[in-house]
Amino acid sequence: MIEILQHGIYTSIQDMGRFNHQCIGVPLSGALDQQAFRIGNQLLNNPDKAAALECTVKGPKIRFHQNTYIALTGADMRAQLNGRRVSSYTPIEVHENDELELGKAQNGCRTYLTIAGGIKTEKILGSRSQFKGLTREERISKKILLPIGHSDFKPVKGVHLRIPKTAFHKKTIEVYPGPEYPLLDKIQQKALAKNKFSISKLNNRMAYQLNQKLQHQLPQIWTAPVLPGTVQCTPDGSLIILMQDAQVTGGYPRLFQLTDEALHLLAQKQTDDEVQFSILPSVE
Amino acid sequence: MITIHSNFRVIALLPKVLLLEWEEQPSEKLLEFLLSYKAVIEKQIKVTRCVMGYQSLMVHLLEDIEKLDWWKQHLNKLLIKTKKQKQRKGKHWNIPVCYDLDHAPDLATLANAVQKSVEEVIALHTQKPYRIYFLGFLPGFLYLCGLDKQLHFPRKEKPLLEVPKGSIGIGGMQTGIYPNSSPGGWHLIGRTPLSLFDAKLQPPCFAAPGDWISFKSIDSKTFEIIDKQSNQGTYQIKPYD
């Protein structure tokens, strides 16, 4: 078991998400930076889908009720174990009654705390990812004990994994043209490729809205399936990038679709961070 | 027999995601074709999932697309198979709705705005079955078609932050049921005690695209009884043909 003593700004249990229930309106959910999450599990020899804590902007304070191993990936939150700094992207041995405290993100936005054996809370529709109306709690909002799975993990000395770390400073977000992109004129298309955009305050697990608008005359569309990484354009020109907790259908014109890598990078951006679209040719 | 709608475009949205979009307006004919075509695609192509909209199908492949032209041809071939597909018979569901003012905060305002009496609005809302086109917005939210033109009314300017679970709303040309409490901009004209979505049940949602639902007016006493049964899990909704 681990005990959450302080929950930080926004901490939730996440795994790979729910895959097979979009047809009944269930969002995908799951870790926003799937790459950092996956590496966290790999470092501990966990199954890919083992659930972890996703910590946002400022992390939680945790007490361990058993000996185990953990790993921290994604943003650097200056983690301290019993008051001493510990490194990210490597297995960390912890003992019963140890306390781990995560501070503010120094780079990026989200840190993943993986635990050998994974977090074993309730599984709803194939996933432990917290979501309003599905799991009992939509995030961790109070002192709580979380059960941990069994693991025989022992780090092998001398083995170094080659780890792809997120380039937090990178601003380029690679996108494919969306269904309504060809309806924009050349000037609008150029503006989207050339201009820099900044992340508005309206950014969360459902969507990231951008501060700059795009003047357009795009028609409304009939409600259609959308995905995490779909860039929608509202009638007033706001650009909204959907994230893992987004609705499964949407009725706004779709300008772009982010690549998986771009989506992971975006998940590490905070309010006022800048991004620039790099438009890839469509698959032909 | 299924009518084939062969006029669609195919977009590669991601290396493993195809989006098929029809230009024609949504209709029951197109819906029935999409349901059959989706069934053929799920049988003939290795897909992880296939999601529907009013006039689109999103196909998640197991492998990379590589050559889009090959897929266009392949999808055309599958149209022929769709022709032979047996049409799935949709089920009919009766949804009990209490239109009493306690459960219908916006009914009087809406009736006034469309120049009808409350009774006329209820009669128009309950008279015909609605077709389920697909699910989205929230777990268990049904996109329904068939709202009487006389009840079309624009959404609220300011959405409500918390619409109670089970509320029946009208927004624009649509009517629908909020399967869970959520923010919402529709005018609330009634409430059902039924649960439209329960993750513990298999399937979590009894209704499916292609089915019909009808709203049946109940009094507040019946609402309380069904609400109690629904919470205890003893209320069972049964379809009829």
Side-chain angles (χ1 to χ4, degrees):
Chain A
M1 298 267 241
I2 62 168
E3 185 181 2
I4 312 288
L5 302 172
Q6 287 164 15
H7 52 73
I9 286 186
Y10 194 108
T11 303
S12 64
I13 299 163
Q14 297 296 338
D15 55 20
M16 291 172 83
R18 302 182 172 83
F19 289 102
N20 296 317
H21 307 281
Q22 275 72 63
C23 283
I24 50 171
V26 177
L28 276 166
S29 295
L32 287 200
D33 183 349
Q34 283 283 331
Q35 180 183 265
F37 163 75
R38 190 170 56 238
I39 294 164
N41 274 331
Q42 284 170 355
L43 286 167
L44 302 173
N45 230 349
N46 275 347
D48 282 349
K49 57 185 181 191
L53 286 181
E54 180 181 88
C55 317
T56 315
V57 183
K58 186 182 180 296
K61 189 176 176 185
I62 292 160
R63 181 182 296 140
F64 296 90
H65 286 231
Q66 66 189 76
N67 298 345
T68 184
Y69 285 88
I70 60 164
L72 296 158
T73 56
D76 176 7
M77 289 190 179
R78 300 257 158 126
Q80 296 196 346
L81 187 66
N82 302 327
R84 291 183 62 174
R85 287 267 286 133
V86 284
S87 306
S88 296
Y89 288 95
T90 184
I92 304 164
E93 188 174 9
V94 294
H95 298 101
E96 197 177 338
N97 289 323
D98 278 359
E99 283 185 10
L100 179 77
E101 187 166 9
L102 275 66
K104 265 179 83 175
Q106 302 297 306
N107 53 9
C109 181
R110 292 181 169 85
T111 302
Y112 294 87
L113 169 64
T114 48
I115 301 158
I119 296 171
K120 292 280 184 184
T121 43
E122 52 175 354
K123 216 180 205 178
I124 307 282
L125 300 176
S127 163
R128 296 188 165 90
S129 290
Q130 290 184 306
F131 186 80
K132 190 188 169 197
L134 284 185
T135 50
R136 238 168 312 191
E137 310 280 340
E138 62 179 290
R139 60 165 159 146
I140 292 172
S141 55
K142 54 175 189 251
K143 276 187 151 195
I144 191 174
L145 279 168
L146 299 174
I148 302 302
H150 172 78
S151 166
D152 293 322
F153 175 77
K154 282 271 178 307
V156 186
K157 288 219 171 84
V159 173
H160 289 279
L161 289 172
R162 273 189 53 184
I163 297 161
K165 284 191 192 173
T166 313
F168 294 105
H169 59 278
K170 211 176 125 185
K171 289 181 181 171
T172 317
I173 301 280
E174 288 190 327
V175 294
Y176 290 103
E180 277 70 52
Y181 176 77
L183 300 179
L184 296 172
D185 63 33
K186 288 274 171 291
I187 299 165
Q188 291 164 330
Q189 293 185 352
K190 219 173 171 180
L192 284 171
K194 284 242 162 114
N195 294 350
K196 288 198 171 74
F197 294 88
S198 58
I199 313 284
S200 84
K201 274 184 214 149
L202 303 171
N203 68 83
N204 56 36
R205 289 192 40 89
M206 283 179 82
Y208 269 46
Q209 190 164 324
L210 304 178
N211 280 319
Q212 296 75 11
K213 290 183 179 179
L214 177 80
Q215 296 304 319
H216 70 91
Q217 302 80 36
L218 290 172
Q220 285 297 292
I221 62 160
W222 286 94
T223 302
V226 287
L227 285 172
T230 300
V231 183
Q232 294 182 323
C233 188
T234 65
D236 80 342
S238 297
L239 299 171
I240 296 172
I241 309 175
L242 302 181
M243 304 302 272
Q244 294 295 127
D245 277 354
Q247 302 175 186
V248 301
T249 55
Y252 293 129
R254 303 145 292 179
L255 300 184
F256 295 128
Q257 179 64 45
L258 270 67
T259 63
D260 288 349
E261 293 74 24
L263 197 54
H264 306 155
L265 179 61
L266 187 67
Q268 294 295 355
K269 299 293 178 196
Q270 292 193 25
T271 309
D272 293 334
D273 281 351
E274 275 192 338
V275 293
Q276 187 170 13
F277 294 114
S278 161
I279 306 166
L280 302 169
S282 306
V283 180
E284 275 183 26
Chain B
M1 270 286 263
I2 306 280
T3 324
I4 300 300
H5 298 246
S6 53
N7 193 10
F8 62 94
R9 59 172 179 159
V10 183
I11 305 161
L13 214 52
L14 280 171
K16 286 189 174 66
V17 182
L18 289 171
L19 183 66
L20 284 50
E21 292 213 312
W22 283 257
E23 255 182 47
E24 61 190 276
Q25 294 289 304
S27 67
E28 290 195 53
K29 278 255 172 297
L30 180 62
L31 165 71
E32 280 158 12
F33 162 73
L34 288 178
L35 286 170
S36 300
Y37 193 34
K38 177 175 180 270
V40 171
I41 288 173
E42 284 170 339
K43 211 168 161 189
Q44 302 288 334
I45 302 177
K46 282 183 186 160
V47 297
T48 53
R49 62 186 189 270
C50 194
V51 190
M52 269 176 65
Y54 277 118
Q55 37 167 220
S56 48
L57 281 177
M58 189 183 275
V59 185
H60 293 254
L61 301 168
L62 273 175
E63 295 154 32
D64 276 356
I65 293 164
E66 284 178 20
K67 281 204 174 69
L68 190 58
D69 271 341
W70 184 88
W71 281 102
K72 284 179 182 168
Q73 284 172 20
H74 191 53
L75 287 163
N76 268 317
K77 277 185 212 156
L78 296 185
L79 284 175
I80 302 158
K81 279 200 195 308
T82 308
K83 217 174 196 168
K84 293 172 203 147
Q85 186 82 355
K86 249 203 201 150
Q87 202 168 311
R88 181 185 165 274
K89 229 176 139 202
K91 293 172 182 161
H92 290 248
W93 307 93
N94 276 336
I95 308 288
V97 178
C98 180
Y99 293 92
D100 279 9
L101 293 180
D102 295 352
H103 296 297
D106 305 321
L107 181 55
T109 326
L110 182 120
N112 200 26
V114 299
Q115 298 179 332
K116 301 258 176 265
S117 68
V118 163
E119 291 72 27
E120 285 170 323
V121 171
I122 296 170
L124 283 169
H125 196 249
T126 51
Q127 71 179 358
K128 277 181 298 187
Y130 300 83
R131 198 82 194 261
I132 302 171
Y133 274 57
F134 58 97
L135 284 81
F137 172 48
L138 289 171
F141 181 85
L142 316 171
Y143 279 85
L144 302 174
C145 272
L147 180 66
D148 194 289
K149 273 210 175 78
Q150 299 174 76
L151 296 182
H152 290 190
F153 191 59
R155 296 168 192 212
K156 290 180 185 174
E157 297 231 332
K158 247 195 175 164
L160 214 61
L161 280 177
E162 184 99 352
V163 172
K165 177 186 168 180
S167 294
I168 312 291
I170 284 181
M173 303 186 296
Q174 300 189 76
T175 186
I177 311 160
Y178 286 91
N180 212 330
S181 67
S182 93
W186 290 11
H187 303 273
L188 309 180
I189 61 155
R191 200 173 168 201
T192 179
L194 283 192
S195 236
L196 268 290
F197 187 91
D198 185 346
K200 289 189 267 328
L201 297 181
Q202 195 44 252
C205 185
F206 55 82
D211 287 358
W212 283 268
I213 67 157
S214 298
F215 296 116
K216 297 286 169 211
S217 179
I218 54 166
D219 56 25
S220 53
K221 218 172 172 183
T222 316
F223 181 97
E224 301 304 332
I225 296 168
I226 301 178
D227 192 40
K228 210 179 239 173
Q229 290 172 338
S230 188
N231 288 333
Q232 291 165 347
T234 53
Y235 185 87
Q236 269 206 327
I237 182 164
K238 283 199 186 87
Y240 63 95
D241 289 328

